DNA sequence: CTGAAAGCGCTTACAG
DNA sequence: CTGAAAGCGCTTACAG
């Protein structure tokens, strides 16, 4: 195995490429090639190396490889939440797109905090990533600076940027918010409330779309908006429904910024004996699995989250190879799912 | 900055510790200490180094550090799913427990597959992890062998092992399945069906508990069990409810191996006009957020998933430091949540 | 408290 | 197709 450790040895005791080479009777360089570029090695030596790898149980040291090659094969992914299935679907898409590429995913959970994002990126930059996938378009100045000076390829997920130089994959959150609001207006609703939580970028954009549509229809009224920074949960949806009805008793529809809130609002209506959509229409955003099944089935906006992850990772991979994507902004659209609740 | 690259230079162009040292007028070793063990450096030199770090925007190279120190500061976490909130809660607990420890989490999604787990572990072992967190107790022989030969500390999450040498944090899935079944029996139910999907380790153990309780009560009947390998979803729960009623028309209760299935079963009952729990009692497992809110509120088993992650990471951290935990098997228990549906 | 030397385990860049 | 030399950017292990 390894040379017997001298007094000053710092050897880890693990099997190294040199051990494999020695056993196979070749130079380390040849062993390296036999493993990483087998076509460049004669089949005889390749077999001897492969056998030595098996016999010794050789595991390559990724740190050494990264250091020598100046290539980490690491891709950093930053998402605001791991408990929100929207982002776990995005992650699934990313993993599927990168499946056989030997990339190592460094997944960071920013918890909807710019400061946390900055902290995570700071640490992850130490791994010298080949590429970075970010959620959303707005980031702290220091994050933007880090990204610029590092010159690492970046793809932003979820929304569409107005900056033509930025690579992004998603859909227009503003238009989606607008489309849902128009749908409610088209149903004859006049007093349409908007419930927003978390107040992340996407919620703010959806609210922007809501406001546009309401203003266009001459229905705008700031009392119809309830915006709170708390995380979106079913419990919060139930609570905010109550607050909305107290504040605007003649409210005839509520647009919840996501399905969790909408579920809570509907459950609360059931408890209070409010008929949905007869007395009050309720709709959500994202089309979670339960939405199609609950009674009444939830009217909501279907979003291509899995595909966003898949396409963003695909775009990033191309960018890492130095290719320019055909379109820097990939619009994956959204789907209004008209069901029973509105 | 860096020495001007000679013809044979392989320098990455990034700012290195030597650049910082040169700027601060100290040896690289002193710069290293000023950054990593500031107490060992005089305040004058420390300040000069800190300033150089700022001015140059130095980012340490983690690969170089790992190679030189034979310490990766990487912890590998393998979970069977990222879309199941049970495991995202576990991850949250892990992250919180490891927050300021400068560990880098390598999160692998095994997708409930032993083969995938093996593949992931194979790749992640290349990062020379300091410790490993695994879900479940059963793994492929090659995984077990990899873990043994690597001598890396491992903590298993979710269930309790019978092997005293194995570190684990969780609760008895068998006992939990048994407890829920006894609860239904105590409610006077005689024809209690069991619906299991995915057929992962935990589902099989819960089924084992169900069988024990049924046998103890003299109620065992293999036709009452429906086990399918498909992933647990609301849609599947709806479908399997139908299959169960077709197969066992006089069924008076159904124990679903998790809440997703139970939600689907309840929604299906609503569609079919079956009264829950009057005509048919339904219960689940895990107590997802929606379970307390839906009508009827779901009777289920509350599980300490966040705490499992937190405690497992804490135990692993101790093991990495070479400490033996007070108890190798940490039982965090479970809670029967008796609500409306059963 | 500070630093010169050597080494971690690989790959690059040559040369043959 | 094969290999000897040098280097990646840090830290260990000494020595002063």
């Amino acid at each position: 195995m390894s040379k017997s450790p001298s007094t000053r040895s710092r050897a880890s005791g693990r099997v190294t490429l040199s051990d494999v080479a020695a056993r196979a009777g070749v130079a380390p360089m040849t062993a390296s090639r036999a493993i990483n570029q087998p076509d460049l090695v004669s089949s005889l030596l390749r077999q001897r190396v492969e056998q030595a790898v098996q016999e010794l149980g050789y595991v390559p040291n990724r740190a050494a490889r990264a250091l020598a090659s100046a290539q980490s094969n690491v891709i950093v992914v930053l998402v605001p939440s791991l408990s929100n299935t929207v982002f776990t679907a995005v992650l699934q898409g990313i993993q599927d797109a990168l499946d056989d590429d030997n990339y190592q995913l460094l997944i960071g959970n920013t918890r909807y905090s710019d400061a946390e994002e900055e902290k995570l990126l700071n640490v992850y930059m130490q791994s010298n990533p080949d590429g970075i996938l970010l959620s959303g378009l707005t980031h702290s100045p220091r994050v933007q600076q880090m990204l610029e000076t590092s010159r690492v390829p970046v793809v932003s997920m979820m929304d569409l940027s107005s900056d033509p130089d930025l690579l992004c994959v998603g859909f227009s959150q503003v238009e989606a918010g607008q489309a849902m609001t128009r749908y409610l207006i088209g149903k004859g609703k006049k007093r349409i409330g908007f419930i927003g939580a978390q107040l992340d970028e996407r919620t703010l954009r959806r609210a922007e779309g809501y406001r546009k549509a309401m203003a266009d229809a001459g229905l705008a009224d700031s009392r119809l908006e309830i915006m709170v920074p708390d995380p979106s949960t079913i419990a919060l949806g139930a609570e905010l429904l109550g607050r909305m009805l107290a504040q605007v008793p003649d409210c005839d529809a509520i647009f919840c910024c996501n399905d969790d809130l909408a579920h809570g609002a509907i459950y609360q209506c059931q408890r209070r004996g409010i008929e949905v959509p007869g007395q009050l229409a309720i709709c959500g955003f994202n089309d979670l699995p339960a939405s199609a099944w609950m009674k009444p089935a939830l009217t909501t906006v279907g979003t291509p989250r899995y595909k966003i992850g898949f396409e963003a990772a695909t775009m990033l991979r191309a960018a890492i190879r130095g290719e320019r994507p055909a379109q820097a902004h990939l619009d994956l659209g959204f789907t209004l799912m008209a069901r029973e609740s509105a």
Side-chain angles (χ1 to χ4, degrees), chain A:
Chain A
M1 315 275 287
S2 277
K3 299 155 198 161
S4 62
S6 75
T7 331
R8 296 189 59 134
S9 171
R10 290 164 51 192
S12 62
R14 292 180 52 176
V15 176
T16 70
L17 188 66
S18 295
D19 297 327
V20 170
R23 180 136 188 155
V26 300
M29 198 51 243
T30 301
S32 171
R33 282 202 197 89
I35 293 168
N36 298 308
Q37 313 170 69
D39 293 347
L40 299 182
V41 177
S42 67
S43 66
L44 174 66
L45 294 192
R46 196 192 320 136
Q47 282 172 30
R48 293 218 314 250
V49 170
E50 281 165 3
Q51 195 182 343
V53 165
Q54 288 301 321
E55 289 173 357
L56 297 176
Y58 171 64
V59 177
N61 182 321
R62 200 176 179 106
R65 185 186 222 287
L67 183 57
S69 70
Q71 255 231 325
S72 64
N73 271 30
V74 161
I75 286 182
V76 166
V77 186
L78 261 29
V79 291
S81 163
L82 283 179
S83 51
N84 186 334
T85 59
V86 168
F87 294 103
T88 54
V90 168
L91 286 176
Q92 197 67 251
I94 294 169
Q95 290 178 333
D96 287 351
L98 260 29
D99 208 16
D100 292 314
D101 261 9
N102 197 29
Y103 278 117
Q104 195 162 77
L105 236 46
L106 238 38
I107 300 170
N109 177 358
T110 69
R111 307 181 190 197
Y112 292 101
S113 151
D114 274 10
E116 189 68 23
E117 182 176 65
E118 195 173 308
K119 193 174 142 197
L120 284 169
L121 195 60
N122 227 326
V123 173
Y124 286 160
M125 289 310 281
Q126 301 184 356
S127 296
N128 193 23
D130 293 347
I132 300 177
L133 291 167
L134 250 37
S135 302
L137 302 170
T138 63
H139 308 283
S140 76
R142 292 178 67 178
V143 161
Q144 297 194 320
Q145 196 203 333
M146 259 192 278
L147 295 174
E148 276 167 30
T149 63
S150 75
R151 303 180 152 281
V152 177
V154 176
V155 175
S156 297
M157 305 184 289
M158 308 316 288
D159 207 337
L160 300 173
S161 172
S162 52
D163 177 354
D165 290 335
L166 195 69
L167 301 182
C168 57
V169 177
F171 62 92
S172 169
Q173 303 279 346
V174 175
E175 284 178 24
Q178 204 168 0
M180 177 55 93
T181 310
R182 282 189 185 142
Y183 167 85
L184 293 171
I185 294 170
K187 286 269 179 179
K189 306 299 176 187
K190 304 285 183 201
R191 302 287 285 163
I192 304 168
F194 184 91
I195 288 181
Q198 195 69 65
L199 305 192
D200 59 291
E201 216 180 310
R202 287 157 291 288
T203 294
L204 296 179
R205 298 245 183 185
R206 288 168 203 162
E208 198 182 322
Y210 157 81
R211 274 181 221 124
K212 277 193 188 179
M214 291 294 275
D216 286 350
L219 297 173
D221 179 348
S222 65
R223 285 182 310 141
L224 288 165
E225 277 183 50
I226 296 183
M227 306 286 275
V228 299
D230 316 62
S232 289
T233 60
I234 293 176
L236 183 63
E239 182 193 327
L240 294 184
L241 175 101
R243 213 193 287 182
M244 179 67 81
L245 292 181
Q247 189 169 311
V248 188
D250 62 340
C251 177
D252 56 10
I254 298 182
F255 179 5
C256 301
C257 79
N258 63 42
D259 277 12
D260 290 302
L261 294 178
H263 294 173
I266 287 182
Y267 291 138
Q268 185 69 300
C269 286
Q270 290 175 349
R271 278 178 170 57
R272 294 191 178 196
I274 299 169
E275 200 209 334
V276 178
Q279 282 178 261
L280 183 65
I282 290 180
C283 64
F285 202 104
N286 273 331
D287 195 18
L288 298 188
S291 299
W293 283 94
M294 64 190 306
K295 287 295 283 182
L298 184 68
T299 292
T300 185
V301 176
T303 55
R305 39 203 188 259
Y306 174 89
K307 205 173 180 203
I308 288 176
F310 192 94
E311 296 297 338
T314 303
M315 188 184 280
L316 182 65
R317 212 175 40 177
I320 291 172
R321 285 194 301 256
E323 303 167 16
R324 278 280 116 200
Q327 35 185 353
H329 295 190
L330 187 54
D331 184 356
L332 261 24
F334 57 86
T335 314
L336 208 153
M337 313 293 284
R339 291 199 278 241
E340 298 166 358
S341 71

